[in-house]
Amino acid sequence: MSWVDDDIRKLATYASSLDVAIDIRPFTTKREFEAAYFPVDKKIVIYSRTSRTYFILVLIHEISHVREERSYKNKKDPVALAKALRKQDNNQSLTKADRKAIYKSECIAADFALLIAQELDLKVPKYKLKAECRLDKMVAMYYYRYNRYPDPNLIEKKRKQLRERYYAK
């Protein structure tokens, strides 16, 4: 069994222990996101289209949202986050306060992603995980400031820069 299969198995077991199902679906171009966590359904949905390593990074990120949701850190304002996510799901315009709640949630989840990888002793390259977590925070900050997501080409350029930066460390 390769380290990739082993990491996916560990993450699936971990998600199961949190009482969350993982649903892998084929990617369609109509999706504006690659994965999502749905707390009401207790389900992580991943639209798979990339490498298995990137699949692991996305899965860690979504599981970190489950951890974040159940954490004491986000108990300060869960109502604001729930309201913002409901608005986002219904394609309603978000206020700056709504976007800030989402930004804070993404930052906490990114921190949990590093912790989960350490707890489960995952073999995914740490420089890729650190770069992805930093990128998640940057994308969330961009969305918070400008009320739109950055261009996909800009995200890929930034991802490459961050991976080179963290690989050097």
Side-chain angles (χ1 to χ4, degrees), residues 71-129:
S71 154
Y72 64 92
K73 286 186 176 183
N74 201 33
K75 297 295 183 200
K76 294 176 185 172
D77 207 2
V79 175
L81 178 61
K83 184 181 106 183
L85 292 174
R86 231 181 351 269
K87 279 183 171 181
Q88 193 177 40
D89 289 344
N90 294 328
N91 292 323
Q92 296 173 336
S93 64
L94 278 72
T95 64
K96 189 121 183 172
D98 293 334
R99 296 193 311 270
K100 185 173 185 177
I102 292 171
Y103 168 70
K104 288 164 88 177
S105 170
E106 289 295 331
C107 289
I108 293 168
D111 293 338
F112 271 123
L114 296 168
L115 182 65
I116 290 167
Q118 183 179 4
E119 285 176 347
L120 298 178
D121 190 30
L122 299 180
K123 303 296 186 246
V124 66
K126 299 299 181 241
Y127 77 94
K128 287 184 178 182
L129 180 61

Side-chain angles (χ1 to χ4, degrees), residues 23-155:
D23 183 6
I24 302 167
R25 298 181 185 173
F27 184 82
T28 62
T29 55
K30 293 179 182 177
R31 307 296 322 163
E32 56 183 70
F33 53 85
E34 293 176 335
Y37 167 57
F38 298 101
V40 175
D41 300 336
K42 292 186 176 184
K43 185 189 304 184
I44 294 172
V45 177
I46 297 179
Y47 297 92
S48 179
R49 71 170 174 153
T50 56
S51 74
R52 293 174 62 195
T53 304
Y54 188 66
F55 177 85
I56 290 171
L57 295 172
V58 170
L59 186 55
I60 292 170
H61 176 84
E62 295 307 325
I63 290 173
S64 70
H65 278 296
V66 177
R67 238 342 247 284
E68 175 239 343
E69 177 198 36
R70 297 172 187 189
S71 154
Y72 64 92
K73 286 186 176 183
N74 201 33
K75 297 295 183 200
K76 294 176 185 172
D77 207 2
V79 175
L81 178 61
K83 184 181 106 183
L85 292 174
R86 231 181 351 269
K87 279 183 171 181
Q88 193 177 40
D89 289 344
N90 294 328
N91 292 323
Q92 296 173 336
S93 64
L94 278 72
T95 64
K96 189 121 183 172
D98 293 334
R99 296 193 311 270
K100 185 173 185 177
I102 292 171
Y103 168 70
K104 288 164 88 177
S105 170
E106 289 295 331
C107 289
I108 293 168
D111 293 338
F112 271 123
L114 296 168
L115 182 65
I116 290 167
Q118 183 179 4
E119 285 176 347
L120 298 178
D121 190 30
L122 299 180
K123 303 296 186 246
V124 66
K126 299 299 181 241
Y127 77 94
K128 287 184 178 182
L129 180 61
K130 288 177 182 177
E132 202 62 33
C133 289
R134 182 72 185 119
L135 183 66
D136 289 340
K137 290 179 179 182
M138 292 171 73
V139 168
M141 175 57 82
Y142 190 97
Y143 182 72
Y144 167 58
R145 286 185 178 165
Y146 304 111
N147 196 22
R148 62 184 173 86
Y149 288 103
D151 179 63
N153 294 330
L154 177 64
I155 292 173

